[in-house]
Amino acid sequence: MPADADMTRRRRSPSLPCAVRVQAAGFALGHRRDGSVRRLVFSLLDIHVRAKRRAGVRSVDVTIDASRGLWARVFSPPPTKGEAAQALPVVVFFHGGGFVLFSAASCYYDRLCRRICRELRAVVVSVNYRLAGPARRFPAAYDDGLAALRYLDANGLAEAAGVAAVDLSSCFLAGDSAGGNMVHHVAQRWAAASAASPSSSTTLRLAGAVLIQPFFGGEERTEEELELDKAALTLSLARTDYYWREFLPEGATRDHPAAHVCGGGEHDVEVAEAFPAAMVAIGGFDLLKGWQARYVEALRGKGKAVRVVEYPGAIHGFCLFPELADSGEFVEEMKLFVQEHRTKRVQ
């Protein structure tokens, strides 16, 4: 084994700025040793912010389906000269949190989506899907993600977003952690439905899928899960197990298709022909990176284009911390990905 690889393997924790380490420690305090959530503690950490104009980016909350409390926060970039007549691409974003935590109003996700909107010059639709609960287990979150796409396809966004026009033929799905899991499953559902009804007059076309440290798993413990279980404060095996117990159907194991999307045999990844090109972000200190690497290989095995961006020193959730250089680099990579695949569609 090379000396640098051995050094990385032996390093027990990533190098983090004090501000990030304090926030990660606070997140850890919001969980018990068995992975369950201390709701009162977490509610003090999960600060919600209102939709408003900040740093030039305008945001408004839009109701998608009042009957199930489904809504989205829509971010639109400030106008620039010469762009008035140009339709902007759309990024539909699903937040992370193990299907049980955070919302589109959480300060971390409001800040991240605002940054993506500003840097990519795209309209960002952050979906506030239903969190897991006794009556809201699988597939409630996926249903909400699909409902958000159908809403956009039927209603558009120009008026709500406050922009002249949006290009729904350049629609990208993006999400981190559990949101990255949703990106796969929602994209697959949309692509399968499109294939089943090729003559349907849909305006929305998925141009790409951005999976940021997607939350996949299985009953098997990967080498990376065992090695990195205690490496960072933002995630542990106890927490991932708890999240799956809360989200999956009663009695289901982590080998359920929602979690175990790849691995061959009965766990072979399901990908429709219209599944879009993908970009997958992987962090070196993320205990889920083994599952993410398998996912990449499974997609490539199906003939799908996959761009992988790796950050050796990154913890799970790194993109939420603007203090980390990797976070800024990731947004730049996402910008290039959107530009590349949007250009293909426009031409």
Side-chain angles (χ1 to χ4, degrees):
M1 177 184 296
D4 56 346
D6 184 55
M7 185 178 299
T8 299
R9 179 178 290 273
R10 291 182 181 181
R11 190 167 60 175
R12 294 183 178 276
S13 63
S15 176
L16 297 172
C18 181
V20 174
R21 191 168 289 279
V22 168
Q23 293 174 79
F27 183 73
L29 287 174
H31 292 76
R32 300 180 182 88
R33 294 186 66 179
D34 66 357
S36 60
V37 179
R38 294 187 174 100
R39 293 289 177 178
L40 178 58
V41 174
F42 195 83
S43 68
L44 300 176
L45 302 170
D46 183 21
I47 300 171
H48 286 199
V49 294
R50 294 182 179 181
K52 62 183 293 187
R53 185 182 297 275
R54 295 187 185 89
V57 173
R58 177 179 181 266
S59 64
V60 295
D61 292 341
V62 176
T63 299
I64 295 175
D65 185 345
S67 68
R68 52 175 140 171
L70 179 60
W71 58 273
R73 180 159 293 181
V74 181
F75 301 83
S76 55
T80 61
K81 292 182 179 180
E83 192 181 62
Q86 182 180 358
L88 300 177
V90 177
V91 175
V92 177
F93 189 90
F94 304 121
H95 68 80
F99 299 103
V100 300
L101 300 171
F102 295 116
S103 80
S106 297
C107 63
Y108 287 102
Y109 287 101
D110 181 274
R111 181 172 59 194
L112 175 60
C113 289
R114 198 172 296 274
R115 185 180 192 182
I116 292 172
C117 171
R118 182 175 59 251
E119 298 297 327
L120 273 62
R121 302 292 307 162
V123 173
V124 177
V125 181
S126 182
V127 181
N128 197 67
Y129 58 88
R130 289 170 294 173
L131 297 180
R136 301 183 303 277
R137 293 176 176 270
F138 166 91
Y142 301 160
D143 291 344
D144 288 353
L146 193 61
L149 294 188
R150 288 172 175 160
Y151 174 90
L152 293 177
D153 187 53
N155 300 282
L157 261 184
E159 182 177 351
V163 296
V166 293
D167 180 10
L168 288 176
S169 69
S170 290
C171 182
F172 295 79
L173 300 187
D176 74 307
S177 194
N181 175 293
M182 287 184 63
V183 167
H184 169 78
H185 287 286
V186 174
Q188 169 60 20
R189 285 187 173 201
W190 184 267
S194 298
S197 303
S199 60
S200 61
S201 56
T202 57
T203 302
L204 188 147
R205 171 187 174 274
L206 293 185
V210 180
L211 300 89
I212 312 167
Q213 301 177 288
F215 183 30
F216 298 130
E219 284 298 299
E220 172 195 353
R221 295 300 194 194
T222 67
E223 178 182 348
E224 294 82 2
E225 285 177 313
L226 296 174
E227 180 183 326
L228 296 170
D229 184 24
K230 301 297 187 296
L233 295 170
T234 52
L235 197 63
S236 68
L237 280 175
R239 290 176 219 165
T240 61
D241 288 354
Y242 169 76
Y243 297 153
W244 288 127
R245 288 195 301 271
E246 291 294 294
F247 175 65
L248 296 175
E250 288 279 2
T253 71
R254 295 188 302 274
D255 283 337
H256 187 278
H260 199 165
V261 301
C262 55
E266 63 178 309
H267 301 300
D268 191 25
V269 66
E270 185 178 3
V271 181
E273 183 177 351
F275 193 91
M279 171 178 163
V280 180
I282 300 175
F285 280 94
D286 183 0
L287 61 86
L288 299 176
K289 69 178 184 177
W291 292 110
Q292 295 155 6
R294 292 186 189 185
Y295 175 73
V296 169
E297 291 307 308
L299 281 187
R300 287 174 172 167
K302 294 289 186 178
K304 297 300 177 181
V306 186
R307 180 176 183 176
V308 178
V309 287
E310 296 187 72
Y311 303 94
I315 60 172
H316 191 80
F318 77 95
C319 64
L320 300 178
F321 302 102
E323 302 93 334
L324 299 177
D326 286 342
S327 177
E329 291 177 12
F330 165 75
V331 174
E332 285 300 313
E333 290 286 353
M334 183 176 175
K335 180 178 180 179
L336 293 174
F337 178 80
V338 168
Q339 288 176 341
E340 176 187 357
H341 292 280
R342 184 190 180 201
T343 299
K344 288 181 178 180
R345 176 59 182 173
V346 171
Q347 292 178 343

